[in-house]
Amino acid sequence: QVQLVESGGGSVQAGGSLRLSCAASGRIHSDFVMGWFRQFPGKRREAVATIDSSGRTEYTDSAKGRFTISFDSAEKILYLEMNNLNGEDTALYRCGASWGITAMMALGRIAHDDFGYWGEGTQVTVS
């Protein structure tokens, strides 16, 4: 079992920045992959970024150039640094964890029900 707890969300003005954190506990596989997706009102989900155990990262087009994903393996904390935020970034941001696939494969799967483990999320509101 893996437990994921997100934090760092909040309200920010357009153009501002936030750093989200996701603390992982439990059994983290050596070939892990972790990432972020966001959930909009009406439950639509959209992948944001992923990182695998080799340190490879992948981003959706909406995140490229503005967001940076990283993982502190010693502390088991996943981060998402978000810059130049706009109203379209308003959503519930959730982290996910799985294993055995690359960051690229995970980007296409993280928002699906069978991905692995998810946290409950942290709300980001951009006005």
Side-chain angles (χ1 to χ4, degrees), residues 64-103:
K64 284 179 184 176
R66 299 190 300 133
F67 295 179
T68 302
I69 189 171
S70 60
F71 182 67
D72 183 330
S73 58
E75 299 294 330
K76 296 184 182 179
I77 300 177
L78 180 72
Y79 296 102
L80 185 69
E81 184 78 34
M82 306 188 294
N83 298 309
N84 195 22
L85 288 161
N86 60 63
E88 295 180 348
D89 297 315
T90 295
L92 180 69
Y93 283 72
R94 303 177 69 177
C95 68
S98 190
W99 58 93
I101 57 175
T102 65

Side-chain angles (χ1 to χ4, degrees), residues 1 3 41 44 85 92:
Q1 288 290 329
Q3 294 78 43
R44 181 175 69 88
L85 288 161
L92 180 69

Side-chain angles (χ1 to χ4, degrees), residues 2 4 28-29 31-35 51 96-101 106 109-110 114-117:
V2 175
L4 303 170
I28 307 295
H29 290 254
D31 61 344
F32 71 88
V33 60
M34 298 186 71
I51 184 168
S98 190
W99 58 93
I101 57 175
R109 302 183 188 181
I110 189 169
D114 61 350
F115 178 71
Y117 300 95

